[in-house]
Structure formats: C-alpha cells, structure tokens
C-alpha cells in the first residue's frame, strides 16, 4: 500500500511534537526529486522550507528513503532505509 502525501506529513508533524522538537517543515518529494508537498508548522523559521527541500533532495540523490515507524514498511523504525 502506498502512503499518501497527507499521511506522511501528518505522521512527521506528530512525531516531531512527540519528540518535543521545534516546529518542523515537512517536504515530500517523488522519486525524481520533484516537490509533491510542503507543510510548514506555525513558528518554523523563515529558511526552513529551503533547508527541508535541500535535505530531502540530497537524501534522494543518495538513495536514502525515510519511513515513519510502525507503518509496516520493511525496516521502518530503524531509521533510514536504503532503496
């Protein structure tokens, strides 16, 4: 089952709140590194969208994919999964 963009964003924001992190900006890119969605939490710093996009783009370029824990994705919960 493919994960929806909205589910990914919701799970990432929830995880950040549970960990007590500063407000996050979440980006979702497709396999070609094209922006599918961006969600900036209230209070996230001004440059966060650009930083988040650059980090996600770099991860895809290295073949690294991140999955929320507990979503039934092989290897989820142990950090990044190599594609």
């Amino acid at each position: 089952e493919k994960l929806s963009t909205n589910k990914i964003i919701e799970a990432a924001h929830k995880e950040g709140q549970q960990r007590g992190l500063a407000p996050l900006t979440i980006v979702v890119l497709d396999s070609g590194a094209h922006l599918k969605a961006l969600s900036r939490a209230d209070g996230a710093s001004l440059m966060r969208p650009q930083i988040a996009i650059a980090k996600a783009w770099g991860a895809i370029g290295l073949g690294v994919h991140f999955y929320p824990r507990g979503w039934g994705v092989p290897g989820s919960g142990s950090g990044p999964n190599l594609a």
Side-chain angles (χ1 to χ4, degrees), residues 3-78:
L3 303 175
S4 77
T5 300
N6 288 336
K7 278 189 169 186
I8 292 168
I9 289 171
E10 289 170 15
H13 279 300
K14 183 178 179 182
E15 181 75 18
Q17 290 170 347
Q18 289 174 345
R19 291 182 182 209
L21 302 177
L24 298 174
T25 297
I26 310 299
V27 297
V28 178
L29 305 179
D30 66 15
S31 60
H34 297 100
L35 183 65
K36 287 183 68 177
L38 185 144
S39 175
R40 182 183 168 275
D42 290 342
S45 66
L46 180 64
M47 291 299 295
R48 280 289 160 201
Q50 291 85 351
I51 293 167
I53 291 169
K55 285 182 174 185
W57 191 83
I60 286 180
L62 292 173
V64 178
H65 300 268
F66 296 89
Y67 300 101
R69 287 192 304 249
W71 280 29
V73 177
S76 67
S78 61

